[in-house]
Each structure stands twice: as C-alpha cells, then as structure tokens.
Amino acid sequence: MLTKKDKELIAAATDAISQRYRNDWQEVGAAMRTRDGRIVTGVNIDAYIGRNAICAEAIAIGRAITETGDHGIESIVAVRHPKPGEPGKIAVVSPCGTCRELIHDYDAKAKVIVPDNGSAPKVVTIGELLPNKYRRGNE
C-alpha cells in the first residue's frame, strides 16, 4: 500500500515529465526522496544514438549529489508519459537494469516504487529488484 510520501513522489515525477515532455526526446520523469528529506526530480535525456541516452533516475541522482552532496536514497520512482495518440496516461514504470545497478550503488537500502501487474504501484527494495548485484573483487 502506498503511503502519502510515496504518492507525493509519484506526483513530483508526474509533474516533472508533464512540464518537460517532448515526443521522442523526454518521456520519462523520476523523483527521489533523499535520506535528508529532499525531493529531487529529473527527466530522461534521449539521443539519436541510444547508448548516449541518460535515464531520468540517473539525472535525479546526479542533481541530488550536485546540489547538496550524497545523502542517500530513501525512495525513488520513474513514470512514463505516453506518446501522442498512444492510449493510457502517465504511469509508474520499473527502472531499467542500468538504473537498478546505479540506485543500488548509491544506496543499497533504497526503496523503489514499481508497477504491480495492473493494480496500484507497490514499494520494493532495490535488493528485491537486483537480487544478485555485481560486486568488484571481494566486496
């Protein structure tokens, strides 16, 4: 069950992409709550060469670190804006594999809001989304 704080985070991500949506360029918005209580948002940066694209979650994490330093990730969510003519509305999406790694790297105890098979989104830990995390050496 989503808390008021979870719903506030979804609303912040929805607001971010609603304000910055550009078809084929920016279609995902993210919002994260740092462990010191700030909400930081970001939108994806797309590129003609796909591997140059940067996800909204990475932008939000980068903004948080740039603005006041790394204070950890209490929770994070991404939402996707449908393309023109596409059915549906802005909805919660799961982080991609790269973002799962990034979120885990910056806070192994982060909570992530994800879709739940057509019902209301749910909250899981990043460890649940990335159960066998890559580690260097003896980490």
Side-chain angles (χ1 to χ4, degrees):
M1 177 113 107
L2 296 178
T3 67
K4 182 179 176 186
K5 287 171 72 172
D6 296 331
K7 291 175 185 175
E8 180 182 40
L9 214 53
I10 294 169
T14 299
D15 188 52
I17 196 57
S18 293
Q19 290 182 32
R20 301 291 178 240
Y21 174 77
R22 284 177 54 204
N23 185 33
D24 290 332
W25 288 101
Q26 282 78 45
E27 66 181 36
V28 177
M32 64 175 271
R33 185 182 312 280
T34 61
R35 293 215 177 263
D36 63 351
R38 291 176 304 122
I39 292 179
V40 182
T41 61
V43 297
N44 73 299
I45 298 175
D46 214 339
Y48 286 119
I49 299 174
R51 70 178 185 210
N52 291 335
I54 303 171
C55 295
E57 297 95 325
I59 298 292
I61 292 167
R63 281 191 62 213
I65 292 167
T66 300
E67 290 171 7
T68 62
D70 185 3
H71 295 282
I73 303 166
E74 178 184 298
S75 51
I76 191 165
V77 66
V79 298
R80 181 181 172 273
H81 191 295
K83 294 182 177 293
E86 184 179 350
K89 56 185 180 176
I90 296 173
V92 171
V93 293
S94 289
C96 72
T98 300
C99 286
R100 291 174 192 212
E101 291 278 347
L102 185 66
I103 293 164
H104 197 291
D105 286 348
Y106 278 89
D107 196 323
K109 293 183 167 90
K111 293 182 277 179
V112 184
I113 301 169
V114 296
D116 189 18
N117 297 324
S119 42
K122 66 180 181 178
V123 179
V124 297
T125 65
I126 190 61
E128 290 175 271
L129 294 179
L130 196 63
N132 195 12
K133 167 82 170 94
Y134 170 79
R135 303 215 185 275
R136 293 181 229 166
N138 294 332
E139 290 181 32

